[in-house]
């Protein structure tokens, strides 16, 4: 079976990689892309893509869905846009694969309920890299035995949200295996506000944003006389594409929303 796929944000770094991934996949057909700017009506007219990429470009999501009837829609754009896109897709019973982080708990609950009501599969993955998912699973397991933990996530300087979705997801998985408690000295005082990072159930998350980075995270567990470090590094965006491909293949078998790639492995 060939899966009809559409992609949002084809000129973005992640979107561009996703276009190449779907075009190369034997079991997928890229039927359309969604761009927020009207540049050209076909990908062949974009300088980023080769002349054999004969794919329609739309600037209106509803028109794209009605005319091209995709089964799966991959959205790797901005948190503000992807929330509205996800609701529209589910109302049309098009299956979203979302790689953008930044959903609030309320938004996540809303789209989960919408997917359930429409019996339409959806996947929201804070990180598509399989290694990053394993890092999160290993960290959750380690927290059973070493409950004092801090997370350092490092990304490129154009990332909009902090902490990252991966950092938040890691903290949530750890929190399920770790009793909430304040870490550090009880009389600890920040002479510069924010120095100790964000606080989730007493564990700290630190966000680094610098040129030259892609996506990196380390989880530090401290114990008496020892430290355990679990780290993952994505050196390029190709590292996320095996996860994108897996999600496209899996979402067509779902009738509800799945949050996190770890639930598909």
């Amino acid at each position: 079976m060939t899966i009809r796929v559409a992609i949002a944000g084809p000129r973005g770094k992640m979107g561009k990689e996703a276009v190449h991934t779907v075009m190369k996949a034997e079991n997928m057909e890229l039927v359309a892309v969604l761009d927020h700017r009207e540049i050209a009506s076909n990908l062949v007219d974009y300088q980023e893509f080769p002349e054999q990429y004969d794919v329609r470009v739309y600037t209106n999501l509803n028109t794209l869905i009605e005319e091209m009837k995709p089964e799966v829609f991959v959205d790797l754009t901005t948190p503000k846009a992807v929330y509205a896109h996800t609701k529209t897709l589910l109302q049309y019973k098009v299956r979203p694969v979302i790689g953008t982080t930044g959903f609030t708990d309320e938004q996540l609950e809303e789209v989960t309920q919408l997917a359930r009501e429409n019996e339409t599969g959806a996947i929201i993955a804070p990180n598509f890299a399989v290694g990053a998912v394993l890092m999160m699973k290993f960290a959750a397991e380690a927290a059973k035995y070493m409950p004092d933990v801090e997370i350092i996530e490092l990304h490129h300087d154009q990332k909009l949200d902090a902490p990252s979705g991966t950092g938040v997801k890691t903290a949530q998985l750890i929190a399920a295996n770790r009793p909430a408690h304040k870490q550090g000295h009880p009389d600890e005082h920040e002479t510069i506000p924010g120095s100790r990072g964000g606080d989730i159930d007493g564990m700290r998350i630190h966000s680094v944003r610098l040129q030259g980075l892609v996506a990196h995270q380390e989880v530090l567990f401290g114990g008496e006389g020892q430290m355990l470090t679990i780290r993952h590094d994505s050196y390029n965006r190709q590292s996320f594409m095996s996860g994108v491909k897996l999600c496209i293949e899996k979402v067509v078998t779902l009738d509800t929303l799945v949050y996190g790639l770890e639930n598909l492995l």
Side-chain angles (χ1 to χ4, degrees):
M1 182 188 75
T2 300
I3 305 170
R4 295 176 60 82
V5 181
I7 295 173
R11 291 179 294 109
K13 293 177 181 178
M14 282 284 286
K16 189 188 306 180
E17 288 289 349
V19 167
H20 291 308
T21 297
V22 172
M23 289 296 289
K24 293 174 183 176
E26 294 182 357
N27 61 338
M28 300 176 192
E29 178 188 3
L30 184 61
V31 297
V33 298
L34 182 72
D35 200 330
H36 74 280
R37 286 168 52 193
E38 189 170 355
I39 294 177
S41 61
N42 197 295
L43 276 187
V44 299
D45 298 316
Y46 282 51
Q47 63 180 7
E48 294 94 337
F49 300 105
E51 59 183 13
Q52 64 265 34
Y53 280 30
D54 182 14
V55 178
R56 290 278 302 277
V57 178
Y58 290 82
T59 56
N60 182 279
L61 178 58
N62 298 70
T63 305
L64 183 157
I65 294 169
E66 292 165 2
E67 292 188 0
M68 302 309 297
K69 296 178 172 51
E71 298 169 85
V72 178
F73 188 91
V74 179
D75 199 325
L76 306 167
T77 57
T78 65
K80 182 177 180 180
V82 78
Y83 169 59
H85 291 172
T86 302
K87 292 197 296 181
T88 298
L89 292 163
L90 291 172
Q91 288 164 355
Y92 276 98
K93 296 191 175 184
V94 177
R95 296 169 175 86
V97 170
I98 307 300
T100 304
T101 57
F103 279 87
T104 66
D105 290 342
E106 292 76 15
Q107 290 172 339
L108 192 58
E109 177 57 36
E110 182 182 359
V111 295
T112 298
Q113 181 62 30
L114 194 56
R116 189 181 300 119
E117 291 172 356
N118 286 280
E119 298 182 338
T120 301
I123 297 173
I124 298 176
N127 198 313
F128 283 115
V130 173
V133 174
L134 293 174
M135 175 265 299
M136 289 187 275
K137 291 174 74 72
F138 296 157
E141 185 66 21
K144 297 177 183 178
Y145 310 98
M146 301 181 75
D148 286 353
V149 55
E150 301 211 2
I151 299 168
I152 304 172
E153 56 91 357
L154 311 91
H155 284 79
H156 56 90
D157 62 351
Q158 299 303 300
K159 186 169 179 58
L160 297 177
D161 56 320
S164 68
T166 300
V168 173
K169 181 67 172 177
T170 304
Q172 292 170 341
L173 292 171
I174 289 172
N177 291 335
R178 165 193 179 275
H181 64 279
K182 178 178 171 57
Q183 297 177 177
H185 195 283
D187 296 327
E188 179 181 81
H189 171 66
E190 292 180 321
T191 57
I192 300 176
S195 299
R196 290 288 288 119
D199 187 323
I200 295 183
D201 287 343
M203 74 183 96
R204 297 290 183 164
I205 303 182
H206 309 268
S207 297
V208 178
R209 299 291 179 265
L210 286 172
Q211 293 185 43
L213 297 172
V214 178
H216 318 263
Q217 180 169 289
E218 58 183 21
V219 189
L220 309 177
F221 293 91
E224 188 172 350
Q226 62 180 316
M227 174 173 285
L228 170 65
T229 301
I230 302 174
R231 181 178 175 110
H232 176 263
D233 297 277
S234 283
Y235 298 111
N236 58 50
R237 287 165 179 83
Q238 188 61 36
S239 65
F240 305 115
M241 291 304 114
S242 60
V244 171
K245 189 171 183 291
L246 173 65
C247 287
I248 293 171
E249 294 167 342
K250 290 287 188 179
V251 75
V252 296
T253 69
L254 302 175
D255 60 5
T256 188
L257 186 144
V258 171
Y259 179 64
L261 185 60
E262 71 277 2
N263 296 304
L264 301 176
L265 297 180

